[in-house]
Amino acid sequence: MSDETNSVPGSTEHADEPTDQPDQTGAVTESPEPESAAPEDEDAAEDTPEDEDTPEDGDAGDSVDQDAEEGSPEDSTSAGSPDVARLEQLEQEGDIAADYLEELLDIADLDGDLDMDVEGDRASVSLVGGDLSMLVGRNGEVLEALQELTRLAVYRETGERSRLMLDIAGHRANKRSRLEALAAETVAQVKETGEPVSLSPMTPFERKVVHDAVAEAGLISDSEGVEPRRYVVVRPA
């Protein structure tokens, strides 16, 4: 006897088609139509823009953005005193920096006094006393590195990027005086010739000092080039 099933000629199987079947009462019950797939959420389908304000993990140790570090002449001349909340934040940055530097002095077995202040919209910490030349280094290179480490210490405590300024043994104060004199000479030259003058490459701190002095004299200045060869150009108003 064969196991094959003979199909009835002329019949067609429709396994997937809904069929109206009578229930036990004899009423015809319609088979429910298959639900259509729910439309995708348009908002979920859209690409989510990256949060530009959230710093990546590696940003904490990086140098502060050049423009933010230098500031602009307009910022220096028009910025008023920080409000109470901002002042408290800057004072907190100074306290954190002082604690970090005190530990550093103990490790290096060096003597020094710390002076904390707020200048404009940034905290300022000065370390004076004793022989601190090793913490300044050639052309202030060690000082710049210590400033970045101190800013990193503040960032770890507060979660906020800091523009704190560190000075050791009056190095920045002395340099500021020389740069202001250079800016005055350059301003006089530009006013006399009417031609722009480009200065030698400078650090962000040095460029900031020059920008401020030029703006106070009524001329225009901007920075050009790429670090570490970035320099200031003084132009007629």
Side-chain angles (χ1 to χ4, degrees), residues 48-217:
T48 302
E50 295 181 357
D51 188 358
E52 297 179 356
D53 295 333
T54 303
E56 297 180 357
D57 295 339
D59 290 343
D62 293 342
S63 299
V64 178
D65 181 77
Q66 294 173 358
D67 294 335
E69 172 68 18
E70 290 181 46
S72 64
E74 290 78 4
D75 294 339
S76 304
T77 56
S78 62
S81 300
D83 57 26
V84 176
R86 177 60 175 163
L87 183 60
E88 291 178 352
Q89 179 183 355
L90 294 176
E91 290 175 347
Q92 180 189 17
E93 290 185 8
D95 292 337
I96 296 171
D99 292 340
Y100 174 79
L101 292 169
E102 284 178 354
E103 293 181 7
L104 178 65
L105 290 175
D106 290 341
I107 294 173
D109 194 21
L110 295 173
D111 294 326
D113 297 323
L114 288 165
D115 181 23
M116 295 169 289
D117 198 1
V118 174
E119 297 180 359
D121 191 37
R122 71 171 69 195
S124 174
V125 178
S126 298
L127 181 58
V128 296
D131 183 10
L132 300 173
S133 58
M134 67 177 62
L135 299 182
V136 176
R138 180 176 175 270
N139 296 327
E141 292 175 353
V142 178
L143 171 58
E144 294 293 340
L146 286 176
Q147 177 174 271
E148 292 304 317
L149 289 174
T150 305
R151 289 176 174 179
L152 179 58
V154 173
Y155 176 84
R156 286 175 173 171
E157 289 289 333
T158 65
E160 300 288 340
R161 300 291 289 269
S162 173
R163 297 175 63 238
L164 178 142
M165 185 66 69
L166 174 64
D167 192 8
I168 298 178
H171 176 80
R172 291 194 191 278
N174 295 332
K175 179 171 285 189
R176 182 187 295 273
S177 297
R178 295 195 299 269
L179 290 169
E180 289 174 345
L182 172 63
E185 295 175 1
T186 306
V187 166
Q189 179 181 349
V190 172
K191 286 183 176 179
E192 180 180 354
T193 63
E195 298 293 332
V197 174
S198 299
L199 301 179
S200 300
M202 298 179 178
T203 65
F205 164 75
E206 294 168 341
R207 297 194 298 269
K208 175 69 165 58
V209 173
V210 173
H211 285 314
D212 291 348
V214 171
E216 187 175 352

Side-chain angles (χ1 to χ4, degrees), residues 6-19:
N6 295 328
S7 58
V8 179
S11 66
T12 305
E13 294 183 1
H14 299 282
D16 295 335
E17 290 186 3
T19 305

